[in-house]
Amino acid sequence: LLLLLLLGPALGPARGQGLGQTRFICTSVPLDGDVCAASALGTGSAEELKGTVLQLRETVLQQKETIMNQKETIRELTAKLGRCESQSVLELPGEGKGRKGFSKNTMGDLSRPAAAETLSQLGQTLQSLKTRLENLEQFSRMNSSSQTNNLKDILQNKIDDLEKQVLSRVNSLEEGKLSPRNESEERGKIESTLTSLHQRISDLEKGQKDNRPPDRFQLTFPLRTNYMYAKVKKSLPEMYAFSICMWIKSSASPGMGTPFSYAVPGQANELVLIEWGNNPMEILINDKVAKLPFAINDGKWHHICVTWTTRDGVWEAYQDGTQTGNGENLAPYHPIKPQGVLVLGQEQDTLGGGFDATQAFVGELAHFNVWDRKLSPGEVYGLATCSSKALAGNVIAWAEANIDIYGGATKWTFEACRQLN
């Protein structure tokens, strides 16, 4: 606190007459100090006052210098950041309606991938294209068409050329031969070819889809992401019992993730099948948990079924047509609630969203069917052995018209019975 003492006319006419010229003196007073006592300091020596002023000026100069140094540091950091961003490799364009690159992740926002990570993504994309092409090749054997075979050969040659380009790019990066400009140009060529390949294979798959039964398809989730999933168009009704069966294939580690999740308003874990981390596969009903004795994470196709009734919460688990476990007291007398969202490939933390990449399903899934009753052991065995009398779900039946896919998950032809040979 600075007390401004006005001596002279400012003190009043009576006292100012004998004091001569007016003077202004600034005196530092502590916040809890006596202002009146401090006024007596006004008669102190001019040398003390001058010393105080010089000290204040020195402090101001030091603060200005500190500010200038900080501004210079900020400018240097900004320049370095700009150079880093200009040299970083842009991410691959997202596929599908639901993907938004790497802008969102429940584990925190991700920066754009480095060159090595981008090359890994290119390799995974090429592998996905090759797998789709193999499925088209199987289809062409059943439908011998010279046009289909010629297109398959052309696409195979292009994929081989792309693999050579990616390998060459890896070698160039390791040897430091590529400048940012050359790298950008080469990447543009590769991405353009990839886009063309995706389009042509998609056109072939579209023609293939027109000639296949509506239930002979599979969903593939090649990466552990928080944006790749499928959504069943209809909700579940209120159910006092259910049977859920599917074909599934995965070798993901640790844990294959979440094949399906059903969330309702106010309860995200109304009905969930999940294998997370090093835990065994579990079925959740209204947040109550039962561990399932499945051994399916071996990269082979398996048929699994889970049945449940609200009375006493009795459940049974089947793998490849054989009952492997059972129990009771799983959410007893709690009916499955209606008007929810059924998602394949992700675990919901909120209604229809809140996906966590660490809980995402990695693998392939097909013939997901739901009944509002408990299937008999014979009916389950018929499904697992592809009996001609096998039933489709009376609540959810596996059909392309009932499923929407997002974020790059793919569909292609799947013959369940062929997997048994």
Side-chain angles (χ1 to χ4, degrees):
L1 173 63
L2 291 178
L3 174 64
L4 185 62
L5 299 178
L6 181 60
L7 304 180
L11 296 176
R15 298 179 58 186
Q17 290 175 356
L19 293 176
Q21 188 177 1
T22 300
R23 292 185 301 157
F24 294 89
I25 300 174
C26 295
T27 303
S28 177
V29 179
L31 287 174
D32 56 348
D34 187 352
V35 176
C36 295
S39 64
L41 295 175
T43 59
S45 67
E47 291 299 325
E48 292 178 358
L49 294 174
K50 191 180 295 185
T52 302
V53 170
L54 290 175
Q55 187 176 1
L56 288 171
R57 285 180 178 176
E58 182 66 23
T59 301
V60 171
L61 289 175
Q62 289 175 356
Q63 290 175 343
K64 283 185 177 180
E65 185 177 355
T66 300
I67 291 172
M68 293 301 294
N69 290 338
Q70 290 174 343
K71 285 184 177 180
E72 184 62 28
T73 301
I74 291 171
R75 279 196 293 269
E76 290 178 2
L77 290 174
T78 303
K80 288 179 181 179
L81 181 61
R83 288 196 297 272
C84 288
E85 288 181 341
S86 65
Q87 293 174 4
S88 64
V89 182
L90 295 177
E91 66 188 60
L92 282 172
E95 301 174 32
K97 294 180 286 185
R99 180 174 181 177
K100 297 183 180 178
F102 292 87
S103 61
K104 179 181 180 295
N105 189 295
T106 54
M107 303 303 290
D109 289 345
L110 297 178
S111 58
R112 290 179 293 183
E117 185 178 347
T118 305
L119 286 172
S120 174
Q121 292 173 354
L122 281 172
Q124 290 168 342
T125 303
L126 287 172
Q127 185 57 46
S128 174
L129 287 172
K130 291 180 74 173
T131 305
R132 292 166 71 183
L133 199 57
E134 289 170 2
N135 281 273
L136 288 170
E137 187 176 7
Q138 291 180 1
F139 177 76
S140 67
R141 290 197 192 106
M142 297 182 291
N143 301 270
S144 54
S145 165
S146 59
Q147 182 181 8
T148 302
N149 288 327
N150 289 336
L151 282 172
K152 185 264 296 180
D153 292 338
I154 292 171
L155 291 172
Q156 183 64 63
N157 291 335
K158 285 197 172 186
I159 289 178
D160 292 341
D161 290 341
L162 270 175
E163 287 182 315
K164 292 177 183 177
Q165 290 182 47
V166 171
L167 181 61
S168 172
R169 190 161 179 247
V170 170
N171 294 333
S172 298
L173 281 172
E174 289 177 347
E175 297 172 7
K177 292 179 180 179
L178 282 181
S179 67
R181 179 179 177 184
N182 291 336
E183 184 181 345
S184 177
E185 290 176 355
E186 186 174 352
R187 177 180 175 76
K189 293 177 183 178
I190 291 175
E191 288 184 353
S192 176
T193 308
L194 278 174
T195 302
S196 174
L197 276 170
H198 271 296
Q199 185 60 50
R200 298 192 70 176
I201 289 179
S202 296
D203 290 343
L204 282 175
E205 289 173 335
K206 182 179 179 181
Q208 174 190 2
K209 182 177 71 174
D210 294 339
N211 297 316
R212 73 184 180 212
D215 65 334
R216 292 187 181 177
F217 74 102
Q218 71 181 47
L219 298 179
T220 298
F221 305 90
L223 303 173
R224 200 182 293 277
T225 72
N226 65 343
Y227 52 78
M228 196 176 290
Y229 67 102
K231 182 179 177 182
V232 180
K233 291 182 180 180
K234 59 186 293 189
S235 177
L236 299 179
E238 185 174 64
M239 296 191 299
Y240 295 85
F242 68 72
S243 296
I244 300 178
C245 301
M246 72 197 80
W247 284 89
I248 197 167
K249 176 183 176 182
S250 180
S251 58
S253 179
M256 68 175 63
T258 309
F260 76 87
S261 65
Y262 177 68
V264 297
Q267 177 53 280
N269 295 327
E270 182 68 6
L271 179 55
V272 182
L273 183 68
I274 185 170
E275 184 183 80
W276 189 29
N278 295 314
N279 301 311
M281 183 164 281
E282 299 173 336
I283 184 81
L284 282 71
I285 299 177
N286 191 33
D287 261 332
K288 307 301 185 294
V289 182
K291 298 184 184 302
L292 304 179
F294 289 145
I296 55 178
N297 196 9
D298 56 3
K300 299 178 181 179
W301 281 102
H302 293 280
H303 186 268
I304 61 173
C305 280
V306 180
T307 70
W308 172 87
T309 60
T310 185
R311 180 170 181 145
D312 296 325
V314 175
W315 60 269
E316 295 174 345
Y318 294 83
Q319 178 177 327
D320 298 326
T322 302
Q323 186 180 134
T324 57
N326 61 76
E328 58 183 19
N329 202 35
L330 175 59
Y333 305 102
H334 170 84
I336 302 299
K337 296 179 181 178
Q339 305 304 316
V341 177
L342 181 56
V343 167
L344 306 179
Q346 294 284 354
E347 194 275 331
Q348 303 173 67
D349 286 337
T350 59
L351 189 65
F355 304 146
D356 184 337
T358 64
Q359 297 176 327
F361 174 69
V362 180
E364 298 166 68
L365 186 151
H367 289 273
F368 177 86
N369 285 276
V370 182
W371 294 260
D372 59 2
R373 64 181 179 85
K374 178 182 175 180
L375 295 182
S376 68
E379 288 173 321
V380 173
Y381 184 79
L383 289 166
T385 55
C386 301
S387 166
S388 58
K389 298 180 181 179
L391 304 172
N394 68 326
V395 174
I396 301 293
W398 185 247
E400 291 196 63
N402 295 338
I403 306 288
D404 286 328
I405 57 175
Y406 300 90
T410 56
K411 293 180 184 178
W412 55 61
T413 298
F414 173 78
E415 282 284 356
C417 297
R418 187 177 298 167
Q419 311 305 321
L420 301 176
N421 300 326

